[in-house]
Amino acid sequence: MVNIQFIEHDGSEHSVEVSTGGSVMQAAVTNGVPGIDADCGGSCSCATCHVYVNEEWLGKVGELSPTEEAMLSLSTDRKDNSRLSCQIQVTEELDGLVVTTPEFQF
Amino acid sequence: MSDVASGPESKTSKWSMVGKDPYAMPIEKIDLSHPGIWRANEFLPFMERLRSEEPVHYCPESAVGPYWSVMKYKDIMEVDTSPHIYSSEPTIGIVDSFEEFTLPAFISMDPPKHDEQRRVVQDVVAPANLKNLEGLIRQRVCTILDGLPIDEEFDWVERVSIELTTQMLATLFDFPFEDRSKLTFWSDAATAIPGGGIVSNQEERWEALQECFAYFIRLWNERVNEKSGNDLISMLAHGEATRDMPQEEYLGNIILLIVGGNDTTRNSISGGVLALNENPAEYDKLRADPGLIRNMVSEIIRWQTPLAHMRRTALVDTELGGKQIKAGEKVVMWYASGNRDEESIERANEFLIDRKNARQHLSFGFGLHRCMGNRLAEMQLTIVWEEIMKRFQKVEVVGEPERVYSSFVKGYMSLPVKLQPLD
Ligand code: HEM
Ligand code: FES
């Protein structure tokens, strides 16, 4: 099992244990973590699964595809560590991953 | 928004499918673009047949020329997320010759231009800003609801849906309140078919738009010299990325916002009342737990699907659902059908206000053109229903709704209701 920690913009923390294979978005949604809407169900086409990846994990979550980049660029609170959580696959390597959810999904 | 095929339907229209058996006609004769079946509320079985027998369907002949219809949720998703294959240029309307106006509007642009233009304005309807507007919008909703007659029949579309959307647009622009009906007129005129009831010819339409432009240029000039405020015009006039925008871009964006936010929200407000009346068990659920309102708002927007379709144009020869689509051909995504697709949405043909994954519907589109006003629309509907539930036991539909004559704008001309106060 892999541990992922979601921190809401107000500081509330949610720690979940998931098996590998799914996405970080799915880890949040199936465990009832608030702050992620995932309107498109993981097709990289709504940008409502936006998260900020904690700096020390940035090297491990993989590269952004051009589509993810384009969708994120339409988000108003985009930062350097922004990612769409449906595009991050859960692997053993990500055990302990920490991501923050934005105040609003748009 | 309305389409060019609107206008008085002649009883002998050779394109009309009203009253016909969807299963008795040759499948290539099915033409969803004709507005008749939409006004008559007979479109569902036609869509159902296409979904099961020919989910990517070619209509070789229609009043708007040949076009492809995409009926399934998954295929619509594929078209909507492939702008390099399916272009939004030159137009997202089903009719080729229908020039909305020559102002630049990013809804009918492809990347990279689309992305640049959208980025410039989207902050104004982003959730962080909507928070600032919520109080004022709620106050105006309350005033309208408190002024309604009890136990007396009236038209919900006119007294509530149109009035609310107009006021909310006025709030968004901080538009002089006493002039607000101009906004509705300009919105209708921007997409009006000359002779269809709003304007009688192109000159009249152009006059209306000129008046609109002059008005908004004046507002810009006033606000640019005042302290920056929370309204859209002030934000554009003071924003770093927007204060130097060319005038025609400013006007293009204003028109897009007026048109995009008007009918869609209006018809969702009416559609919710109708859906709850047709599904009394759901209305009971709502009364028992008003906490369901947020979820219900998404379900109302799915159920209504205020824009029945969007059109794309194939840029290259391609394949979809086993069919060969050629470069240059029109491809129409029927959101109204995808939202009823049982293969992607569980119990898709039931209205369930506590549905799981209610947000996963097609009504706002997906991909780069996904509705920019989606959070604003949801906020408006949430406030409306919160305030309705504080006041009325039931908004009772007491007669048949009259539907819009359009295969694009899916909505209501009128909806007769009576209010029952809380006990
Ligand atoms: C329930 C209400 C609404 C529905 C169902 C709706 C539906 C849609 C759809 C389907 C699109 C996609 C167009 C495409 O893919 O070609 C769209 C785009 C758009 N909508 Fe909405 N809309 C609603 C409310 C609003 C509101 C309130 C606003 C005003 C702020 C608005 C502004 C826009 C804009 C500016 C676009 C263009 C986005 C782009 O091309 O990037 N909409 N809308
Ligand atoms: S769930 Fe829609 S982009 Fe990730």
Side-chain angles (χ1 to χ4, degrees), chain B residues 137 140-141 143-145 148 155-171 177-178 180-181 183-184 262 266 269-270 384:
Chain B
I137 290 181
R140 290 181 168 172
V141 168
T143 308
I144 291 175
L145 295 179
L148 296 172
D155 177 15
W156 182 263
V157 172
E158 184 200 334
R159 294 284 300 267
V160 183
S161 307
I162 292 184
E163 189 55 28
L164 273 176
T165 353
T166 306
Q167 289 200 16
M168 288 190 266
L169 272 179
T171 310
F177 203 63
E178 62 287 0
R180 65 185 184 280
S181 64
L183 282 173
T184 319
N262 197 23
R266 175 200 299 181
I269 294 173
S270 306
V384 167

PDB file of all heavy atoms in Angstrom, chain B residues 137 140-141 143-145 148 155-171 177-178 180-181 183-184 262 266 269-270 384:
ATOM      1  N   ILE B 137     -25.826  39.098  -5.315  1.00  0.00           N
ATOM      2  CA  ILE B 137     -26.695  38.233  -6.113  1.00  0.00           C
ATOM      3  C   ILE B 137     -27.791  37.639  -5.230  1.00  0.00           C
ATOM      4  O   ILE B 137     -28.967  37.639  -5.581  1.00  0.00           O
ATOM      5  CB  ILE B 137     -25.876  37.118  -6.810  1.00  0.00           C
ATOM      6  CG1 ILE B 137     -25.016  37.734  -7.916  1.00  0.00           C
ATOM      7  CG2 ILE B 137     -26.796  36.050  -7.396  1.00  0.00           C
ATOM      8  CD1 ILE B 137     -24.174  36.763  -8.705  1.00  0.00           C
ATOM      9  N   ARG B 140     -30.537  40.116  -4.481  1.00  0.00           N
ATOM     10  CA  ARG B 140     -31.437  40.351  -5.613  1.00  0.00           C
ATOM     11  C   ARG B 140     -32.372  39.166  -5.835  1.00  0.00           C
ATOM     12  O   ARG B 140     -33.531  39.334  -6.193  1.00  0.00           O
ATOM     13  CB  ARG B 140     -30.627  40.684  -6.868  1.00  0.00           C
ATOM     14  CG  ARG B 140     -29.989  42.056  -6.704  1.00  0.00           C
ATOM     15  CD  ARG B 140     -29.184  42.525  -7.881  1.00  0.00           C
ATOM     16  NE  ARG B 140     -28.872  43.949  -7.722  1.00  0.00           N
ATOM     17  CZ  ARG B 140     -28.057  44.631  -8.496  1.00  0.00           C
ATOM     18  NH1 ARG B 140     -27.458  44.035  -9.503  1.00  0.00           N
ATOM     19  NH2 ARG B 140     -27.847  45.909  -8.277  1.00  0.00           N
ATOM     20  N   VAL B 141     -31.874  37.969  -5.605  1.00  0.00           N
ATOM     21  CA  VAL B 141     -32.726  36.784  -5.707  1.00  0.00           C
ATOM     22  C   VAL B 141     -33.864  36.900  -4.691  1.00  0.00           C
ATOM     23  O   VAL B 141     -35.041  36.676  -5.006  1.00  0.00           O
ATOM     24  CB  VAL B 141     -31.910  35.497  -5.446  1.00  0.00           C
ATOM     25  CG1 VAL B 141     -32.817  34.295  -5.251  1.00  0.00           C
ATOM     26  CG2 VAL B 141     -30.938  35.235  -6.594  1.00  0.00           C
ATOM     27  N   THR B 143     -35.195  39.559  -3.311  1.00  0.00           N
ATOM     28  CA  THR B 143     -36.168  40.587  -3.675  1.00  0.00           C
ATOM     29  C   THR B 143     -37.151  40.061  -4.724  1.00  0.00           C
ATOM     30  O   THR B 143     -38.355  40.280  -4.627  1.00  0.00           O
ATOM     31  CB  THR B 143     -35.445  41.827  -4.236  1.00  0.00           C
ATOM     32  OG1 THR B 143     -34.446  42.214  -3.292  1.00  0.00           O
ATOM     33  CG2 THR B 143     -36.408  42.976  -4.468  1.00  0.00           C
ATOM     34  N   ILE B 144     -36.630  39.351  -5.720  1.00  0.00           N
ATOM     35  CA  ILE B 144     -37.514  38.818  -6.760  1.00  0.00           C
ATOM     36  C   ILE B 144     -38.479  37.792  -6.176  1.00  0.00           C
ATOM     37  O   ILE B 144     -39.691  37.851  -6.402  1.00  0.00           O
ATOM     38  CB  ILE B 144     -36.691  38.179  -7.893  1.00  0.00           C
ATOM     39  CG1 ILE B 144     -35.939  39.260  -8.660  1.00  0.00           C
ATOM     40  CG2 ILE B 144     -37.608  37.397  -8.848  1.00  0.00           C
ATOM     41  CD1 ILE B 144     -35.005  38.726  -9.720  1.00  0.00           C
ATOM     42  N   LEU B 145     -37.964  36.870  -5.380  1.00  0.00           N
ATOM     43  CA  LEU B 145     -38.827  35.811  -4.841  1.00  0.00           C
ATOM     44  C   LEU B 145     -39.878  36.390  -3.889  1.00  0.00           C
ATOM     45  O   LEU B 145     -41.023  35.954  -3.863  1.00  0.00           O
ATOM     46  CB  LEU B 145     -37.989  34.742  -4.128  1.00  0.00           C
ATOM     47  CG  LEU B 145     -37.027  33.933  -5.016  1.00  0.00           C
ATOM     48  CD1 LEU B 145     -36.249  32.924  -4.179  1.00  0.00           C
ATOM     49  CD2 LEU B 145     -37.767  33.212  -6.147  1.00  0.00           C
ATOM     50  N   LEU B 148     -43.194  37.731  -5.498  1.00  0.00           N
ATOM     51  CA  LEU B 148     -44.061  36.860  -6.305  1.00  0.00           C
ATOM     52  C   LEU B 148     -45.412  36.645  -5.631  1.00  0.00           C
ATOM     53  O   LEU B 148     -45.497  36.601  -4.408  1.00  0.00           O
ATOM     54  CB  LEU B 148     -43.381  35.498  -6.515  1.00  0.00           C
ATOM     55  CG  LEU B 148     -42.076  35.522  -7.309  1.00  0.00           C
ATOM     56  CD1 LEU B 148     -41.403  34.151  -7.266  1.00  0.00           C
ATOM     57  CD2 LEU B 148     -42.335  35.950  -8.756  1.00  0.00           C
ATOM     58  N   ASP B 155     -46.274  33.197 -14.943  1.00  0.00           N
ATOM     59  CA  ASP B 155     -45.260  32.573 -15.797  1.00  0.00           C
ATOM     60  C   ASP B 155     -43.878  32.636 -15.133  1.00  0.00           C
ATOM     61  O   ASP B 155     -43.293  33.710 -14.998  1.00  0.00           O
ATOM     62  CB  ASP B 155     -45.235  33.278 -17.163  1.00  0.00           C
ATOM     63  CG  ASP B 155     -44.143  32.711 -18.081  1.00  0.00           C
ATOM     64  OD1 ASP B 155     -43.617  31.618 -17.775  1.00  0.00           O
ATOM     65  OD2 ASP B 155     -43.833  33.369 -19.090  1.00  0.00           O
ATOM     66  N   TRP B 156     -43.378  31.481 -14.733  1.00  0.00           N
ATOM     67  CA  TRP B 156     -42.090  31.398 -14.026  1.00  0.00           C
ATOM     68  C   TRP B 156     -40.939  31.894 -14.905  1.00  0.00           C
ATOM     69  O   TRP B 156     -39.997  32.518 -14.418  1.00  0.00           O
ATOM     70  CB  TRP B 156     -41.846  29.943 -13.599  1.00  0.00           C
ATOM     71  CG  TRP B 156     -40.594  29.712 -12.819  1.00  0.00           C
ATOM     72  CD1 TRP B 156     -39.399  29.287 -13.300  1.00  0.00           C
ATOM     73  CD2 TRP B 156     -40.413  29.896 -11.394  1.00  0.00           C
ATOM     74  NE1 TRP B 156     -38.478  29.194 -12.271  1.00  0.00           N
ATOM     75  CE2 TRP B 156     -39.070  29.548 -11.098  1.00  0.00           C
ATOM     76  CE3 TRP B 156     -41.260  30.310 -10.357  1.00  0.00           C
ATOM     77  CZ2 TRP B 156     -38.558  29.614  -9.800  1.00  0.00           C
ATOM     78  CZ3 TRP B 156     -40.736  30.369  -9.067  1.00  0.00           C
ATOM     79  CH2 TRP B 156     -39.395  30.028  -8.798  1.00  0.00           C
ATOM     80  N   VAL B 157     -41.016  31.631 -16.205  1.00  0.00           N
ATOM     81  CA  VAL B 157     -39.932  32.037 -17.110  1.00  0.00           C
ATOM     82  C   VAL B 157     -39.783  33.556 -17.083  1.00  0.00           C
ATOM     83  O   VAL B 157     -38.691  34.086 -16.909  1.00  0.00           O
ATOM     84  CB  VAL B 157     -40.196  31.545 -18.551  1.00  0.00           C
ATOM     85  CG1 VAL B 157     -39.181  32.138 -19.525  1.00  0.00           C
ATOM     86  CG2 VAL B 157     -40.145  30.026 -18.602  1.00  0.00           C
ATOM     87  N   GLU B 158     -40.904  34.251 -17.224  1.00  0.00           N
ATOM     88  CA  GLU B 158     -40.844  35.706 -17.312  1.00  0.00           C
ATOM     89  C   GLU B 158     -40.531  36.348 -15.955  1.00  0.00           C
ATOM     90  O   GLU B 158     -39.649  37.196 -15.852  1.00  0.00           O
ATOM     91  CB  GLU B 158     -42.188  36.220 -17.843  1.00  0.00           C
ATOM     92  CG  GLU B 158     -42.200  37.717 -18.058  1.00  0.00           C
ATOM     93  CD  GLU B 158     -43.622  38.271 -18.114  1.00  0.00           C
ATOM     94  OE1 GLU B 158     -44.548  37.516 -18.484  1.00  0.00           O
ATOM     95  OE2 GLU B 158     -43.798  39.454 -17.759  1.00  0.00           O
ATOM     96  N   ARG B 159     -41.266  35.916 -14.939  1.00  0.00           N
ATOM     97  CA  ARG B 159     -41.156  36.599 -13.647  1.00  0.00           C
ATOM     98  C   ARG B 159     -39.893  36.226 -12.874  1.00  0.00           C
ATOM     99  O   ARG B 159     -39.394  37.023 -12.079  1.00  0.00           O
ATOM    100  CB  ARG B 159     -42.382  36.285 -12.767  1.00  0.00           C
ATOM    101  CG  ARG B 159     -43.698  36.809 -13.269  1.00  0.00           C
ATOM    102  CD  ARG B 159     -43.852  38.314 -13.049  1.00  0.00           C
ATOM    103  NE  ARG B 159     -43.784  38.760 -11.649  1.00  0.00           N
ATOM    104  CZ  ARG B 159     -44.841  38.916 -10.858  1.00  0.00           C
ATOM    105  NH1 ARG B 159     -46.046  38.639 -11.298  1.00  0.00           N
ATOM    106  NH2 ARG B 159     -44.695  39.364  -9.618  1.00  0.00           N
ATOM    107  N   VAL B 160     -39.403  35.004 -13.077  1.00  0.00           N
ATOM    108  CA  VAL B 160     -38.252  34.571 -12.280  1.00  0.00           C
ATOM    109  C   VAL B 160     -37.014  34.312 -13.145  1.00  0.00           C
ATOM    110  O   VAL B 160     -35.998  34.992 -12.994  1.00  0.00           O
ATOM    111  CB  VAL B 160     -38.595  33.320 -11.440  1.00  0.00           C
ATOM    112  CG1 VAL B 160     -37.402  32.942 -10.552  1.00  0.00           C
ATOM    113  CG2 VAL B 160     -39.827  33.583 -10.587  1.00  0.00           C
ATOM    114  N   SER B 161     -37.092  33.362 -14.074  1.00  0.00           N
ATOM    115  CA  SER B 161     -35.864  32.942 -14.782  1.00  0.00           C
ATOM    116  C   SER B 161     -35.224  34.086 -15.569  1.00  0.00           C
ATOM    117  O   SER B 161     -34.017  34.327 -15.454  1.00  0.00           O
ATOM    118  CB  SER B 161     -36.168  31.774 -15.719  1.00  0.00           C
ATOM    119  OG  SER B 161     -36.807  30.733 -15.008  1.00  0.00           O
ATOM    120  N   ILE B 162     -36.031  34.803 -16.362  1.00  0.00           N
ATOM    121  CA  ILE B 162     -35.467  35.891 -17.168  1.00  0.00           C
ATOM    122  C   ILE B 162     -35.025  37.036 -16.266  1.00  0.00           C
ATOM    123  O   ILE B 162     -33.912  37.567 -16.385  1.00  0.00           O
ATOM    124  CB  ILE B 162     -36.490  36.401 -18.217  1.00  0.00           C
ATOM    125  CG1 ILE B 162     -36.724  35.313 -19.264  1.00  0.00           C
ATOM    126  CG2 ILE B 162     -36.007  37.703 -18.871  1.00  0.00           C
ATOM    127  CD1 ILE B 162     -37.636  35.721 -20.408  1.00  0.00           C
ATOM    128  N   GLU B 163     -35.876  37.392 -15.321  1.00  0.00           N
ATOM    129  CA  GLU B 163     -35.566  38.513 -14.431  1.00  0.00           C
ATOM    130  C   GLU B 163     -34.280  38.235 -13.635  1.00  0.00           C
ATOM    131  O   GLU B 163     -33.406  39.090 -13.524  1.00  0.00           O
ATOM    132  CB  GLU B 163     -36.759  38.767 -13.502  1.00  0.00           C
ATOM    133  CG  GLU B 163     -36.666  40.036 -12.671  1.00  0.00           C
ATOM    134  CD  GLU B 163     -36.445  41.310 -13.489  1.00  0.00           C
ATOM    135  OE1 GLU B 163     -36.869  41.358 -14.658  1.00  0.00           O
ATOM    136  OE2 GLU B 163     -35.817  42.246 -12.942  1.00  0.00           O
ATOM    137  N   LEU B 164     -34.175  37.021 -13.116  1.00  0.00           N
ATOM    138  CA  LEU B 164     -32.979  36.678 -12.331  1.00  0.00           C
ATOM    139  C   LEU B 164     -31.708  36.710 -13.174  1.00  0.00           C
ATOM    140  O   LEU B 164     -30.697  37.287 -12.772  1.00  0.00           O
ATOM    141  CB  LEU B 164     -33.122  35.272 -11.754  1.00  0.00           C
ATOM    142  CG  LEU B 164     -33.835  35.161 -10.413  1.00  0.00           C
ATOM    143  CD1 LEU B 164     -33.977  33.691 -10.024  1.00  0.00           C
ATOM    144  CD2 LEU B 164     -33.054  35.906  -9.352  1.00  0.00           C
ATOM    145  N   THR B 165     -31.743  36.086 -14.349  1.00  0.00           N
ATOM    146  CA  THR B 165     -30.528  36.039 -15.171  1.00  0.00           C
ATOM    147  C   THR B 165     -30.136  37.440 -15.609  1.00  0.00           C
ATOM    148  O   THR B 165     -28.952  37.772 -15.639  1.00  0.00           O
ATOM    149  CB  THR B 165     -30.713  35.151 -16.425  1.00  0.00           C
ATOM    150  OG1 THR B 165     -31.971  34.501 -16.355  1.00  0.00           O
ATOM    151  CG2 THR B 165     -29.648  34.137 -16.513  1.00  0.00           C
ATOM    152  N   THR B 166     -31.112  38.257 -15.952  1.00  0.00           N
ATOM    153  CA  THR B 166     -30.810  39.621 -16.358  1.00  0.00           C
ATOM    154  C   THR B 166     -30.183  40.388 -15.202  1.00  0.00           C
ATOM    155  O   THR B 166     -29.173  41.070 -15.359  1.00  0.00           O
ATOM    156  CB  THR B 166     -32.099  40.332 -16.810  1.00  0.00           C
ATOM    157  OG1 THR B 166     -32.711  39.540 -17.817  1.00  0.00           O
ATOM    158  CG2 THR B 166     -31.803  41.699 -17.365  1.00  0.00           C
ATOM    159  N   GLN B 167     -30.768  40.253 -14.034  1.00  0.00           N
ATOM    160  CA  GLN B 167     -30.209  40.958 -12.871  1.00  0.00           C
ATOM    161  C   GLN B 167     -28.818  40.450 -12.530  1.00  0.00           C
ATOM    162  O   GLN B 167     -27.959  41.208 -12.105  1.00  0.00           O
ATOM    163  CB  GLN B 167     -31.138  40.794 -11.670  1.00  0.00           C
ATOM    164  CG  GLN B 167     -32.433  41.573 -11.824  1.00  0.00           C
ATOM    165  CD  GLN B 167     -33.129  41.815 -10.488  1.00  0.00           C
ATOM    166  OE1 GLN B 167     -32.523  41.666  -9.432  1.00  0.00           O
ATOM    167  NE2 GLN B 167     -34.391  42.202 -10.543  1.00  0.00           N
ATOM    168  N   MET B 168     -28.618  39.135 -12.700  1.00  0.00           N
ATOM    169  CA  MET B 168     -27.307  38.600 -12.368  1.00  0.00           C
ATOM    170  C   MET B 168     -26.250  39.084 -13.357  1.00  0.00           C
ATOM    171  O   MET B 168     -25.128  39.388 -12.962  1.00  0.00           O
ATOM    172  CB  MET B 168     -27.370  37.090 -12.262  1.00  0.00           C
ATOM    173  CG  MET B 168     -28.116  36.696 -10.984  1.00  0.00           C
ATOM    174  SD  MET B 168     -28.063  34.963 -10.533  1.00  0.00           S
ATOM    175  CE  MET B 168     -29.543  34.358 -11.250  1.00  0.00           C
ATOM    176  N   LEU B 169     -26.625  39.197 -14.630  1.00  0.00           N
ATOM    177  CA  LEU B 169     -25.695  39.773 -15.606  1.00  0.00           C
ATOM    178  C   LEU B 169     -25.391  41.222 -15.245  1.00  0.00           C
ATOM    179  O   LEU B 169     -24.239  41.663 -15.282  1.00  0.00           O
ATOM    180  CB  LEU B 169     -26.297  39.725 -17.017  1.00  0.00           C
ATOM    181  CG  LEU B 169     -26.086  38.479 -17.860  1.00  0.00           C
ATOM    182  CD1 LEU B 169     -26.795  38.642 -19.198  1.00  0.00           C
ATOM    183  CD2 LEU B 169     -24.602  38.219 -18.098  1.00  0.00           C
ATOM    184  N   ALA B 170     -26.441  41.949 -14.869  1.00  0.00           N
ATOM    185  CA  ALA B 170     -26.263  43.345 -14.483  1.00  0.00           C
ATOM    186  C   ALA B 170     -25.324  43.444 -13.278  1.00  0.00           C
ATOM    187  O   ALA B 170     -24.453  44.311 -13.218  1.00  0.00           O
ATOM    188  CB  ALA B 170     -27.617  43.990 -14.173  1.00  0.00           C
ATOM    189  N   THR B 171     -25.475  42.525 -12.347  1.00  0.00           N
ATOM    190  CA  THR B 171     -24.604  42.508 -11.170  1.00  0.00           C
ATOM    191  C   THR B 171     -23.156  42.267 -11.589  1.00  0.00           C
ATOM    192  O   THR B 171     -22.231  42.941 -11.136  1.00  0.00           O
ATOM    193  CB  THR B 171     -25.042  41.396 -10.192  1.00  0.00           C
ATOM    194  OG1 THR B 171     -26.435  41.516  -9.956  1.00  0.00           O
ATOM    195  CG2 THR B 171     -24.288  41.492  -8.879  1.00  0.00           C
ATOM    196  N   PHE B 177     -28.732  49.582 -13.168  1.00  0.00           N
ATOM    197  CA  PHE B 177     -29.811  48.642 -12.899  1.00  0.00           C
ATOM    198  C   PHE B 177     -31.083  48.951 -13.688  1.00  0.00           C
ATOM    199  O   PHE B 177     -31.752  48.054 -14.191  1.00  0.00           O
ATOM    200  CB  PHE B 177     -30.091  48.633 -11.397  1.00  0.00           C
ATOM    201  CG  PHE B 177     -30.756  47.381 -10.921  1.00  0.00           C
ATOM    202  CD1 PHE B 177     -30.104  46.154 -11.038  1.00  0.00           C
ATOM    203  CD2 PHE B 177     -32.016  47.411 -10.361  1.00  0.00           C
ATOM    204  CE1 PHE B 177     -30.709  44.978 -10.603  1.00  0.00           C
ATOM    205  CE2 PHE B 177     -32.629  46.249  -9.928  1.00  0.00           C
ATOM    206  CZ  PHE B 177     -31.976  45.031 -10.052  1.00  0.00           C
ATOM    207  N   GLU B 178     -31.369  50.266 -13.812  1.00  0.00           N
ATOM    208  CA  GLU B 178     -32.626  50.642 -14.480  1.00  0.00           C
ATOM    209  C   GLU B 178     -32.583  50.334 -15.986  1.00  0.00           C
ATOM    210  O   GLU B 178     -33.624  50.218 -16.620  1.00  0.00           O
ATOM    211  CB  GLU B 178     -32.956  52.122 -14.206  1.00  0.00           C
ATOM    212  CG  GLU B 178     -31.924  53.155 -14.718  1.00  0.00           C
ATOM    213  CD  GLU B 178     -30.627  53.210 -13.900  1.00  0.00           C
ATOM    214  OE1 GLU B 178     -30.480  52.455 -12.900  1.00  0.00           O
ATOM    215  OE2 GLU B 178     -29.722  54.000 -14.268  1.00  0.00           O
ATOM    216  N   ARG B 180     -31.308  47.524 -17.224  1.00  0.00           N
ATOM    217  CA  ARG B 180     -30.902  46.121 -17.346  1.00  0.00           C
ATOM    218  C   ARG B 180     -31.614  45.349 -18.451  1.00  0.00           C
ATOM    219  O   ARG B 180     -31.062  44.405 -19.003  1.00  0.00           O
ATOM    220  CB  ARG B 180     -31.061  45.382 -16.019  1.00  0.00           C
ATOM    221  CG  ARG B 180     -32.501  45.244 -15.532  1.00  0.00           C
ATOM    222  CD  ARG B 180     -32.544  44.601 -14.160  1.00  0.00           C
ATOM    223  NE  ARG B 180     -33.886  44.365 -13.684  1.00  0.00           N
ATOM    224  CZ  ARG B 180     -34.656  45.281 -13.137  1.00  0.00           C
ATOM    225  NH1 ARG B 180     -34.200  46.518 -12.986  1.00  0.00           N
ATOM    226  NH2 ARG B 180     -35.876  44.994 -12.725  1.00  0.00           N
ATOM    227  N   SER B 181     -32.847  45.768 -18.797  1.00  0.00           N
ATOM    228  CA  SER B 181     -33.555  45.011 -19.829  1.00  0.00           C
ATOM    229  C   SER B 181     -32.851  45.144 -21.187  1.00  0.00           C
ATOM    230  O   SER B 181     -33.036  44.321 -22.082  1.00  0.00           O
ATOM    231  CB  SER B 181     -35.011  45.459 -19.929  1.00  0.00           C
ATOM    232  OG  SER B 181     -35.049  46.801 -20.350  1.00  0.00           O
ATOM    233  N   LEU B 183     -29.779  44.601 -21.615  1.00  0.00           N
ATOM    234  CA  LEU B 183     -28.860  43.451 -21.690  1.00  0.00           C
ATOM    235  C   LEU B 183     -29.547  42.255 -22.334  1.00  0.00           C
ATOM    236  O   LEU B 183     -28.975  41.576 -23.184  1.00  0.00           O
ATOM    237  CB  LEU B 183     -28.383  43.057 -20.283  1.00  0.00           C
ATOM    238  CG  LEU B 183     -27.308  43.909 -19.638  1.00  0.00           C
ATOM    239  CD1 LEU B 183     -27.085  43.464 -18.195  1.00  0.00           C
ATOM    240  CD2 LEU B 183     -26.007  43.800 -20.419  1.00  0.00           C
ATOM    241  N   THR B 184     -30.776  41.994 -21.899  1.00  0.00           N
ATOM    242  CA  THR B 184     -31.530  40.871 -22.458  1.00  0.00           C
ATOM    243  C   THR B 184     -31.769  41.096 -23.942  1.00  0.00           C
ATOM    244  O   THR B 184     -31.601  40.188 -24.757  1.00  0.00           O
ATOM    245  CB  THR B 184     -32.896  40.731 -21.745  1.00  0.00           C
ATOM    246  OG1 THR B 184     -32.687  40.955 -20.359  1.00  0.00           O
ATOM    247  CG2 THR B 184     -33.485  39.368 -21.959  1.00  0.00           C
ATOM    248  N   ASN B 262     -26.651  33.890 -20.602  1.00  0.00           N
ATOM    249  CA  ASN B 262     -28.045  34.322 -20.535  1.00  0.00           C
ATOM    250  C   ASN B 262     -29.050  33.167 -20.608  1.00  0.00           C
ATOM    251  O   ASN B 262     -29.559  32.700 -19.589  1.00  0.00           O
ATOM    252  CB  ASN B 262     -28.278  35.348 -21.641  1.00  0.00           C
ATOM    253  CG  ASN B 262     -29.536  36.142 -21.421  1.00  0.00           C
ATOM    254  OD1 ASN B 262     -30.009  36.251 -20.296  1.00  0.00           O
ATOM    255  ND2 ASN B 262     -30.089  36.684 -22.475  1.00  0.00           N
ATOM    256  N   ARG B 266     -30.881  30.803 -17.570  1.00  0.00           N
ATOM    257  CA  ARG B 266     -32.329  31.009 -17.546  1.00  0.00           C
ATOM    258  C   ARG B 266     -33.065  29.668 -17.666  1.00  0.00           C
ATOM    259  O   ARG B 266     -33.955  29.347 -16.893  1.00  0.00           O
ATOM    260  CB  ARG B 266     -32.709  31.919 -18.727  1.00  0.00           C
ATOM    261  CG  ARG B 266     -34.192  32.131 -18.897  1.00  0.00           C
ATOM    262  CD  ARG B 266     -34.503  32.604 -20.324  1.00  0.00           C
ATOM    263  NE  ARG B 266     -33.873  33.883 -20.661  1.00  0.00           N
ATOM    264  CZ  ARG B 266     -34.028  34.490 -21.839  1.00  0.00           C
ATOM    265  NH1 ARG B 266     -34.799  33.958 -22.776  1.00  0.00           N
ATOM    266  NH2 ARG B 266     -33.420  35.621 -22.084  1.00  0.00           N
ATOM    267  N   ILE B 269     -32.824  27.341 -14.671  1.00  0.00           N
ATOM    268  CA  ILE B 269     -33.702  27.730 -13.557  1.00  0.00           C
ATOM    269  C   ILE B 269     -35.116  27.191 -13.814  1.00  0.00           C
ATOM    270  O   ILE B 269     -35.749  26.611 -12.920  1.00  0.00           O
ATOM    271  CB  ILE B 269     -33.723  29.270 -13.382  1.00  0.00           C
ATOM    272  CG1 ILE B 269     -32.336  29.766 -12.950  1.00  0.00           C
ATOM    273  CG2 ILE B 269     -34.778  29.683 -12.356  1.00  0.00           C
ATOM    274  CD1 ILE B 269     -32.193  31.283 -12.919  1.00  0.00           C
ATOM    275  N   SER B 270     -35.605  27.326 -15.033  1.00  0.00           N
ATOM    276  CA  SER B 270     -36.937  26.799 -15.358  1.00  0.00           C
ATOM    277  C   SER B 270     -36.929  25.269 -15.367  1.00  0.00           C
ATOM    278  O   SER B 270     -37.849  24.630 -14.854  1.00  0.00           O
ATOM    279  CB  SER B 270     -37.393  27.292 -16.736  1.00  0.00           C
ATOM    280  OG  SER B 270     -37.322  28.696 -16.811  1.00  0.00           O
ATOM    281  N   VAL B 384     -30.445  30.382  -5.936  1.00  0.00           N
ATOM    282  CA  VAL B 384     -31.878  30.391  -6.259  1.00  0.00           C
ATOM    283  C   VAL B 384     -32.601  29.290  -5.486  1.00  0.00           C
ATOM    284  O   VAL B 384     -33.636  29.526  -4.857  1.00  0.00           O
ATOM    285  CB  VAL B 384     -32.092  30.189  -7.775  1.00  0.00           C
ATOM    286  CG1 VAL B 384     -33.545  29.890  -8.080  1.00  0.00           C
ATOM    287  CG2 VAL B 384     -31.634  31.420  -8.531  1.00  0.00           C
TER     288      VAL B 384
END
